[in-house]
Amino acid sequence: GNFELSGDAIEATLKQLGQPLTYRAKFTNDQASASSQMPVEVQNMKTAGVEQVMLGSDFLLAIPFMQQAEQQQYFPPYTSSDLGALASNGLIRKGPTRSLDNTIGVTTQFTISPEGRTEQADSKDCREYYNKSNPGSKQFAFGEAGPFNIICSEVELLGRAGQPAGKVLTRAGLVAAVLHLGAGSLPTSLPGSFAPGKSDFSDNVWAARYHTDCQCYKVAGPVTRARY
């Protein structure tokens, strides 16, 4: 799936840069089978001398892995990304405190800790509309993780691409329309672009560091143009 393809890309890029992976753990898609792999894969990383672990999965694998690592007294620093939404202030906070502290996430999201930043207008409109539409539920403030973080961008993208795709919406027509949207912004995301052959919107990223005192990521570096 997407995690396998992303892992392949990361492995190939690091090798090209002269920094090959020391060890790569591959888990089955079956959750029960993956759980049985955890103790073995943690031990394999320890044996291989892995000094830093890149989390290339969703929270269903990442959190149990960190828990198993702690049980084996293995405390490597971790890095996360938007793969599996691990670099956002959501379910990742259910992970073990000691392992999560100071985890570095690379993200395109504009929803991490708002210290010193102004909320994007389209993000604010969507967040406030979501709160208004759910009066009996939690009312989200800027910087908090919520369902709207993903919903806002997806709905906006569908709206922008839906019109040029035509009245009879097909998968092929929608994909073609998205790839011709060009550069711009989407709610809760840093500016990016689509183009023929480029289906990944992300053009800009920044680093965020996880802090266990607030159970949240805080910006740890400037916005950087992505290399790829």
Side-chain angles (χ1 to χ4, degrees):
N2 290 336
F3 296 125
E4 185 76 12
L5 292 173
S6 299
D8 291 343
I10 291 171
E11 184 172 12
T13 300
L14 288 175
K15 184 177 181 180
Q16 182 182 13
L17 295 174
Q19 300 290 336
L21 291 178
T22 302
Y23 180 81
R24 179 181 177 185
K26 295 185 179 181
F27 292 92
T28 177
N29 290 327
D30 178 72
Q31 190 64 34
S33 298
S35 296
S36 67
Q37 289 180 257
M38 293 288 176
V40 176
E41 292 296 358
V42 169
Q43 184 58 52
N44 286 344
M45 286 199 174
K46 291 177 65 177
T47 302
V50 174
E51 298 178 343
Q52 182 165 355
V53 175
M54 302 173 70
L55 299 172
S57 68
D58 58 21
F59 71 94
L60 292 173
L61 282 178
I63 291 176
F65 181 89
M66 288 187 284
Q67 292 170 335
Q68 177 59 223
E70 289 199 357
Q71 290 178 23
Q72 295 192 33
Q73 296 299 301
Y74 180 47
F75 300 97
Y78 291 91
T79 59
S80 65
S81 70
D82 289 334
L83 268 177
L86 295 182
S88 63
N89 297 327
L91 291 169
I92 190 64
R93 67 181 58 182
K94 295 182 180 294
T97 299
R98 179 172 176 179
S99 291
L100 276 175
D101 198 31
N102 288 317
T103 289
I104 296 295
V106 178
T107 180
T108 65
Q109 297 182 67
F110 205 83
T111 55
I112 48 182
S113 177
E115 294 179 1
R117 296 186 291 114
T118 301
E119 186 174 15
Q120 296 172 213
D122 52 1
S123 299
K124 181 179 180 181
D125 289 343
C126 187
R127 178 179 58 78
E128 291 181 345
Y129 181 80
Y130 181 90
N131 286 339
K132 184 179 179 181
S133 301
N134 296 274
S137 302
K138 174 179 172 57
Q139 300 294 287
F140 292 94
F142 175 37
E144 290 186 299
F148 63 90
N149 291 341
I150 296 176
I151 294 172
C152 290
S153 291
E154 291 183 344
V155 172
E156 179 68 19
L157 185 59
L158 180 61
R160 292 184 193 177
Q163 186 173 359
K167 293 182 178 180
V168 180
L169 192 60
T170 65
R171 180 175 181 175
L174 181 62
V175 169
V178 168
L179 296 182
H180 285 83
L181 287 177
S185 64
L186 288 172
T188 72
S189 297
L190 295 172
S193 65
F194 293 106
K198 182 180 181 296
S199 58
D200 183 355
F201 180 73
S202 305
D203 286 339
N204 299 281
V205 298
W206 52 11
R209 185 184 301 275
Y210 192 87
H211 297 259
T212 53
D213 57 349
C214 65
Q215 290 189 306
C216 68
Y217 281 99
K218 295 183 180 181
V219 176
V223 174
T224 304
R225 180 77 178 183
R227 183 170 181 175
Y228 301 100

